[in-house]
Amino acid sequence: MNSNVDAFLGRVKKWKTETEALRTILISCGLTEDFKWRTPCYTYQDGNVIILNGFKEHCVLGFFKGALMKDKKGILIKPGEQTQSSRMMKFSSLEEIIQNETLIKAYIKEAIDIEKSGLKVELKPHDEYEVPEELQQKLNSDKKFKAAFDTLTPGRQRAYYMFIAQAKQASTRVSRVEGCTARIMQGKGLNDCICGHSKRMPICDGQHKFYK
């Protein structure tokens, strides 16, 4: 067990017992426990397999290569419309986890087997992503902003595309573009700390603000 995860669980208030139960199952399946992106992460030979997280209405097991899983029970869901690789399994009670432990372990085993095989999700090429209209307008009207955006890595650009496009209302998409402008001008991605560190680094946990 990872001491950073112990500390994390000591701070958790919502879904604490459910998270601890899932943690026990994950470790029993032979995965290595790590702490990345400020949450428990489970790996196989340094490859990310599953992330454990909690939200307002449920806690989840996030399968990094869930798109490759057979999902015979049809229980895996996409975190968002634009998500290509990851899939989530939701839980809303400890009883649900206990009752489905055998099924959970079967899904974990399949995820481990996929990681062992070296299979990779075939991602959509970067140039096939649709640029949100509100972002495109900003790119067209502000040459300095466009120059800064063009210097970002493809992965960082995609993160902004998806974050802005997920807003249903045009006014919200405009607000998101404006809210991201300063970060883009600094050459930072959506998930980069304002000091230049990554979210996954403990030094930034609770000490710096991150864009929400």
Side-chain angles (χ1 to χ4, degrees):
M1 294 185 176
N2 187 291
S3 60
N4 286 326
V5 176
D6 290 332
F8 169 82
L9 289 172
R11 300 189 299 269
V12 169
K13 294 182 180 180
K14 192 172 181 62
W15 307 117
K16 183 179 179 67
T17 55
E18 289 82 2
T19 301
E20 290 175 339
L22 290 170
R23 179 194 194 190
T24 299
I25 292 173
L26 288 160
I27 292 175
S28 73
C29 290
L31 290 168
T32 299
E33 186 174 68
D34 204 341
F35 191 72
K36 302 180 180 182
W37 306 288
R38 304 168 75 191
T39 196
C41 181
Y42 297 83
T43 67
Y44 176 79
Q45 293 185 353
D46 295 327
N48 296 322
V49 179
I50 296 171
I51 197 164
L52 179 54
N53 222 327
F55 298 97
K56 184 177 181 180
E57 298 180 351
H58 48 256
C59 58
V60 304
L61 290 180
F63 296 85
F64 282 88
K65 296 181 180 179
L68 298 177
M69 297 174 68
K70 296 177 181 178
D71 189 21
K72 293 180 179 180
K73 297 293 183 180
I75 57 177
L76 297 181
I77 63 172
K78 282 186 175 184
E81 288 185 16
Q82 301 295 329
T83 303
Q84 298 186 69
S85 182
S86 65
R87 297 291 184 271
M88 297 192 308
M89 185 185 290
K90 292 184 178 181
F91 304 96
S92 56
S93 70
L94 178 61
E95 290 73 21
E96 184 181 5
I97 295 170
I98 294 172
Q99 292 173 4
N100 292 283
E101 182 173 348
T102 300
L103 179 63
I104 295 169
K105 286 183 175 180
Y107 271 66
I108 293 172
K109 182 181 183 302
E110 183 182 0
I112 294 172
D113 289 341
I114 289 172
E115 187 63 30
K116 286 181 179 179
S117 72
L119 289 173
K120 296 183 182 298
V121 177
E122 187 174 339
L123 300 177
K124 182 167 61 175
H126 178 68
D127 57 7
E128 289 185 15
Y129 280 84
E130 184 176 351
V131 181
E133 181 180 350
E134 294 75 12
L135 175 59
Q136 189 62 61
Q137 290 175 353
K138 179 74 171 179
L139 292 168
N140 292 341
S141 63
D142 190 330
K143 292 182 179 180
K144 290 184 179 180
F145 177 81
K146 184 179 187 306
F149 191 84
D150 288 345
T151 63
L152 297 175
T153 63
R156 286 185 169 89
Q157 290 181 4
R158 287 195 297 271
Y160 282 118
Y161 292 161
M162 291 187 285
F163 173 68
I164 294 166
Q166 283 170 358
K168 295 181 179 180
Q169 297 185 358
S171 59
T172 306
R173 293 193 292 273
V174 171
S175 295
R176 290 191 174 188
V177 171
E178 293 306 316
C180 292
T181 296
R183 303 180 63 78
I184 292 171
M185 295 300 292
Q186 295 172 21
K188 300 183 185 301
L190 185 66
N191 294 320
D192 291 337
C193 174
I194 58 172
C195 69
H197 294 129
S198 167
K199 268 188 179 182
R200 74 188 69 179
M201 295 183 66
I203 189 174
C204 292
D205 187 10
Q207 297 182 32
H208 298 280
K209 294 181 179 179
F210 296 95
Y211 189 84
K212 300 294 185 184

